[in-house]
Amino acid sequence: MLVPDPKAVRKLLTRYAVLRVSQAERHRPQAADELNDVVYTLCVMMGTTGIQQAIVKADALLAAARSTPGRMVADGRAAA
C-alpha cells in the first residue's frame, strides 16, 4: 500500500479547515464544491469512506512523519 506524502496531506488538511470556516461564515456554492473535492481527495488518500476517519488517519500520518522522518509503514505508523 502506498503512503501519502505528508506534505500533501498537511496541505489538504489546511485547505479543508479553511473551507470549513469559510462555509460556516458564509455559504458559497463555489467553496462548497471545493470543500467536497477536498473531502473526497482526503478520503481517497487516506483510504477511508468518511472525513472523520480520514482526519484521524491523516493526523496519525503527520505525527509519524514528525517522529521518524522517512520511515513509515503502509498505514501511516512509524516503522519499528
Side-chain angles (χ1 to χ4, degrees):
M1 177 179 200
L2 297 175
V3 177
D5 177 21
K7 291 178 187 178
V9 171
R10 186 178 304 111
K11 184 176 178 180
L12 279 172
L13 283 174
T14 301
R15 189 68 189 140
Y16 173 78
V18 167
L19 288 166
R20 286 286 306 238
V21 169
S22 174
Q23 287 298 89
E25 291 174 348
R26 187 175 125 229
H27 180 78
R28 293 175 316 174
Q30 182 181 3
D33 289 344
E34 187 176 352
L35 179 60
N36 286 336
D37 289 345
V38 169
V39 167
Y40 174 80
T41 304
L42 268 171
C43 287
V44 169
M45 285 181 84
M46 301 315 301
T48 66
T49 57
I51 188 61
Q52 296 306 321
Q53 292 172 312
I55 291 170
V56 169
K57 283 190 157 189
D59 286 344
L61 175 79
L62 295 177
R66 281 191 303 272
S67 65
T68 55
R71 296 198 64 224
M72 289 178 282
V73 294
D75 68 358
R77 292 178 294 118

